[in-house]
């Protein structure tokens, strides 16, 4: 596949940050047995990865804005472009030595995501996409799964963490979806969940209370793989509302209907 100069910049930033995370990931297992635990170590690894990504991206395009999980937003002087970055999506997995985490980088142009990179250094899987150019996994073109019935589908989801939205509401959503599908999976990294939808590994995905950096890159991956990614109302306010549903055209629509199904009256 041919990559634009901008996508190459993003790939190199993700690979460099991923290399740093990969080294730190190798130390996590040793830290599990310490009294203090690996929490401080992981937060340091997270900030270090963001510093690497920010330096690489702003060196290449110093006028672009920057929105990252670990630092204050930079507005930039360009006005049209913004980097949206999660240097370590799947922090809890990383903390426990589970190899499901990723560096996520998206480029937003005038409010639209136009390029995306997701890299899992633990598995050496590099997902890339550019608007109109398709989505790829290590240079292999991706397509969303073609299943047409929810009963045949494996669906990804996000479980609310401690302090997040009403757990009871999620349990209602989960009960509704479980009654319609072949299986449900929770990776612990929405970036990878959406990449898995793009790759056809998951047939769909839903979650709420996400930040822009949790899903910006994944949205483009799904769309460029022929899928749909919208908010829970079928609109385009994902980055503002924090809600997302993804899948092929049929599963996306069916999943929205199930997730939004009202709670039965007692």
């Amino acid at each position: 596949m041919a990559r634009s100069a901008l996508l190459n910049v993003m790939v190199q930033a993700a690979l460099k940050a991923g290399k740093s995370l990969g080294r730190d990931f190798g130390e996590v297992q040793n830290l599990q047995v310490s009294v203090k635990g690996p929490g401080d170590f992981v937060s340091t690894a997270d900030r270090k990865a963001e510093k690497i990504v920010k330096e690489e991206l702003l060196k290449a395009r110093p006028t672009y804005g920057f929105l990252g999980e670990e630092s204050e937003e930079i507005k930039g002087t360009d006005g049209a472009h913004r980097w949206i970055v999660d240097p370590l999506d799947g922090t809890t997995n990383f903390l426990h030595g589970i190899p499901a985490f990723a560096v996520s980088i998206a480029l937003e142009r005038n409010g639209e995501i136009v390029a995306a990179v997701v890299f899992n250094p633990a598995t050496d899987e590099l997902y890339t996409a550019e608007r109109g150019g398709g989505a790829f996994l290590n240079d292999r073109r991706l397509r969303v799964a073609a299943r047409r019935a929810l009963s045949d589908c494996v669906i990804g989801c996000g479980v609310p963490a401690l302090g997040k939205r009403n757990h009871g509401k999620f349990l209602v959503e989960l009960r509704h979806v479980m009654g319609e599908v072949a299986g449900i999976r929770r990776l612990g990294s929405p970036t990878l969940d959406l990449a898995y939808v793009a790759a056809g590994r998951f047939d769909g995905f839903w979650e709420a209370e996400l930040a822009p950096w949790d899903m910006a890159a994944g949205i483009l991956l799904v769309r460029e793989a022929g899928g749909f990614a919208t908010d829970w109302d079928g609109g385009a306010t994902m980055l503002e509302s924090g809600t997302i549903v993804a899948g092929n055209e049929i599963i996306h629509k069916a999943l929205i209907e199930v997730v939004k199904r009202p709670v039965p009256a007692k």
Side-chain angles (χ1 to χ4, degrees):
M1 57 167 288
R3 294 175 182 155
S4 69
L6 271 175
L7 189 60
N8 276 326
V9 166
M10 296 165 69
V11 166
Q12 292 309 308
L15 293 178
K16 190 171 181 179
K19 186 176 182 180
S20 174
L21 287 174
R23 287 194 299 265
D24 290 337
F25 186 64
E27 299 297 322
V28 169
Q29 294 284 14
N30 296 329
L31 291 168
Q32 298 294 342
V33 298
S34 71
V35 174
K36 186 175 181 181
D40 290 341
F41 177 84
V42 172
S43 64
T44 300
D46 201 339
R47 290 193 297 270
K48 184 167 59 176
E50 179 161 311
K51 183 174 184 291
I52 291 170
V53 172
K54 181 185 289 186
E55 288 178 352
E56 291 294 309
L57 296 180
L58 295 183
K59 179 173 65 177
R61 294 295 187 276
T63 63
Y64 287 13
F66 185 95
L67 177 65
E69 183 177 13
E70 301 301 325
S71 59
E72 290 187 10
E73 181 176 2
I74 298 172
K75 292 296 184 181
T77 58
D78 174 272
H81 295 86
R82 178 173 68 159
W83 302 111
I84 303 177
V85 173
D86 192 339
L88 176 53
D89 185 45
T91 305
T92 302
N93 287 344
F94 189 95
L95 179 74
H96 287 268
I98 300 169
F101 59 90
V103 181
S104 174
I105 305 173
L107 176 60
E108 183 183 57
R109 177 179 297 139
N110 295 318
E112 296 288 333
I113 306 301
V114 297
V117 172
V118 172
F119 177 53
N120 181 350
T123 59
D124 202 32
E125 290 189 329
L126 177 68
Y127 298 85
T128 58
E130 290 187 270
R131 189 167 65 178
F136 297 83
L137 167 55
N138 294 344
D139 296 335
R140 177 177 63 82
R141 185 136 193 172
L142 299 179
R143 294 295 297 178
V144 294
R147 295 179 184 87
R148 302 171 65 87
L150 277 177
S151 58
D152 296 327
C153 292
V154 169
I155 303 295
C157 71
V159 178
L162 186 66
K164 289 289 187 177
R165 67 190 175 96
N166 188 286
H167 287 69
K169 183 177 183 298
F170 168 75
L171 290 175
V172 172
E173 296 163 13
L174 183 62
R175 185 169 73 244
H176 288 162
V177 177
M178 283 176 64
E180 301 285 346
V181 305
I184 290 179
R185 302 290 183 269
R186 199 256 181 164
L187 282 182
S189 168
T191 291
L192 288 180
D193 284 314
L194 290 166
Y196 277 25
V197 173
R201 296 173 176 175
F202 289 170
D203 298 284
F205 172 72
W206 94 95
E207 190 166 356
E209 287 208 357
L210 292 176
W213 48 77
D214 292 322
M215 53 180 158
I219 288 168
L220 187 66
L221 286 172
V222 170
R223 290 176 171 173
E224 288 299 320
F228 288 71
T230 70
D231 59 35
W232 284 20
D233 293 317
T237 70
M238 296 81 70
L239 301 188
E240 294 77 27
S241 69
T243 66
I244 189 166
V245 176
N248 67 33
E249 183 176 12
I250 293 171
I251 298 305
H252 168 264
K253 182 179 178 180
L255 189 55
I256 285 180
E257 292 177 357
V258 176
V259 168
K260 294 184 65 179
R261 187 178 295 165
V263 180
K266 292 183 179 180

